């Protein structure tokens, strides 16, 4: 497997360990990471563990450079577009 990862230059992300206690609380209550920051049952220590996990996970994703597109693949828009979703309306071309 490691030979294939190297041969095909597959990005590998080493996610940090997330505390079982906090993970079980989020799973049992069907809470996503965004809502977890305000969830009282986690407590101060649980919120700190969550914050640390998300920070380290974000750093690992950035380090893998899986979303960094080469500059040549980014093209400039050819037409101007009004502000999208203003008052719930779809953007229009000028």
């Amino acid at each position: 497997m490691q030979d294939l990862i190297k041969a095909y230059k597959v990005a590998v992300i080493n996610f940090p360990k997330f505390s079982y206690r906090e993970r079980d609380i989020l799973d049992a209550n069907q809470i996503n990471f965004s809502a977890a920051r305000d969830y009282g049952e986690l407590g101060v220590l649980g919120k700190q563990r969550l914050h640390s996990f998300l920070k380290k996970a974000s750093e690992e994703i950035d380090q893998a450079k899986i979303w960094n597109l080469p500059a040549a693949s980014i093209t400039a828009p050819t037409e101007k577009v009004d502000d999208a979703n203003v008052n719930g309306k779809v953007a229009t071309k000028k």
Side-chain angles (χ1 to χ4, degrees):
M1 181 64 101
Q2 292 299 322
D3 292 338
L4 291 173
I5 289 171
K6 288 178 186 176
Y8 290 99
K9 298 179 184 175
V10 176
V12 176
I13 300 173
N14 295 313
F15 281 102
K17 185 176 180 180
F18 186 45
S19 170
Y20 293 117
R21 179 183 180 276
E22 283 75 26
R23 185 202 61 206
D24 291 345
I25 291 171
L26 298 183
D27 283 346
N29 295 291
Q30 298 179 348
I31 297 172
N32 61 30
F33 290 132
S34 295
R37 68 178 185 185
D38 298 323
Y39 192 65
E41 191 175 330
L42 285 179
V44 175
L45 186 58
K47 289 178 184 178
Q48 180 59 43
R49 286 184 186 134
L50 173 65
H51 177 79
S52 295
F53 167 78
L54 292 174
K55 183 178 177 183
K56 289 176 185 173
S58 177
E59 289 169 358
E60 288 291 326
I61 291 169
D62 289 344
Q63 198 172 39
K65 297 180 181 174
I66 57 174
W67 286 307
N68 292 348
L69 299 175
S73 69
I74 301 172
T75 58
T78 57
E79 300 179 71
K80 277 190 149 186
V81 177
D82 287 346
D83 294 333
N85 279 336
V86 175
N87 298 325
K89 296 181 182 177
V90 176
T92 57
K93 295 179 184 177
K94 286 186 177 181

